[in-house]
Amino acid sequence: MATIPTEPRGGRLTDGPHGRSAADAVRVEPLPRHVAIIMDGNGRWAQQRGLPRIEGHRQGVTSVRRITEHCVRLGIEQLTLYCLSSENWRRPASELGFLMQLLGHYMVEEQNLLMRQRVKVAIIGRRDGLPPETVADVDQTVERCAANDGMRLCLAVNYGSRAEIVEAARRLAREAVAGRIDPEAIDEQSFADRLDTAGMPDPDLLIRTAGEMRVSNFLLWQISYAELWVTPVAWPDFTESHLDEALAAYAQRDRRFGGIGRP
Ligand code: IPE
Ligand code: IPE
Ligand code: MG
């Protein structure tokens, strides 16, 4: 079957699915089930303040915490954050080293908060190339949060959508050669089931901070029908109210999925 997203659910803010008070949450409906964010502009944020780029990444972690908490409060089912692309290896080794360290620290430091918020953590992207200690911190956090029943926080680390698609094709080819799948039986669902995001809903809303009008190899298959929202605000300055603004814009969209839309 086609992987067109189901209608987003609305009216979930007064009694959030995770039993949390929604007192601070702005009521917007329908609410996206899945929000994906290209967290961009950390480097520019720092440079505009005369700071090294890494300070922008450090500040960006504060936004991650803030936005994760807000999504939990709102009752969003999944938040996917683009943390490191497979193309980001083109950056200086010092910046990459800092990013790896930051990711490892975030994973460890955030665990108690994620547990309290009943967040389960998922990782998409390639593990190879990441320092073993970062992988260990990531694995430990994923494992500790595995039984949580709240929002899924999916972190795209060393992620590239084209590579993910090629890998899915390779998996299907192997299965076909082994006689476990009939090539004629391959459909959109069997393809989606072999992506890193297997079992996750497609993003309903894709947000990009810092103004670039491109998707930079992020979830190319999965965003087929996502609503796009780009803000000039750099990620370290992105607050709950910016997210509310995006959600309000999303609620006004007429998602037609190729049909003729609202009467
Ligand atoms: C996004 O901020 C974070 C990562 C890609 C890791 P950037 O570091 O790309 O910031 P700009 O785009 O250079 O300002
Ligand atoms: C996309 O941002 C990757 C992440 C946010 C992790 P980039 O800064 O790498 O994207 P480009 O280079 O401007 O396309
Ligand atoms: Mg950038």
Side-chain angles (χ1 to χ4, degrees), residues 137-242:
D137 290 338
V138 165
D139 284 349
Q140 204 245 333
T141 307
V142 170
E143 208 172 300
R144 184 157 172 226
C145 298
N148 287 343
D149 59 358
M151 186 183 80
R152 182 191 285 122
L153 174 64
C154 174
L155 303 177
V157 179
N158 192 16
Y159 175 85
S161 188
R162 285 186 166 191
E164 179 195 32
I165 288 170
V166 167
E167 181 56 29
R170 202 179 283 131
R171 285 177 186 156
L172 283 167
R174 278 196 216 105
E175 290 173 49
V177 167
R180 291 198 301 274
I181 192 166
D182 173 5
E184 299 310 317
I186 295 171
D187 59 10
E188 292 188 10
Q189 190 59 54
S190 44
F191 200 89
D193 288 345
R194 283 151 184 89
L195 295 169
D196 291 2
T197 51
M200 300 177 186
D202 286 339
D204 301 295
L205 173 63
L206 174 66
I207 295 174
R208 182 163 186 148
T209 63
E212 308 296 354
M213 298 286 182
R214 55 177 173 257
V215 291
S216 303
N217 204 14
F218 190 44
L219 300 174
L220 301 181
W221 170 281
Q222 297 88 340
I223 61 170
S224 295
Y225 269 104
E227 296 297 320
L228 311 180
W229 194 79
V230 177
T231 174
V233 175
W235 179 246
D237 284 334
F238 192 82
T239 62
E240 294 90 334
S241 61
H242 296 115

Side-chain angles (χ1 to χ4, degrees), residues 78-139:
Q78 178 165 337
L79 171 66
T80 298
L81 300 176
Y82 204 4
C83 302
L84 187 79
S85 80
S86 44
E87 287 70 37
N88 287 147
W89 295 103
R90 296 181 181 141
R91 296 184 180 210
S94 55
E95 182 171 339
L96 287 165
F98 183 83
L99 283 167
M100 294 301 153
Q101 237 182 17
L102 201 61
L103 176 65
H105 285 165
Y106 165 82
M107 284 288 168
V108 174
E109 281 168 16
E110 223 55 14
Q111 276 185 18
N112 289 338
L113 184 59
L114 295 171
M115 289 302 290
R116 273 205 302 281
Q117 295 170 332
R118 310 208 315 253
V119 169
K120 48 180 182 273
V121 181
I123 302 289
I124 56 172
R126 296 180 74 104
R127 299 162 70 89
D128 39 300
L130 299 178
E133 55 279 15
T134 305
V135 173
D137 290 338
V138 165
D139 284 349

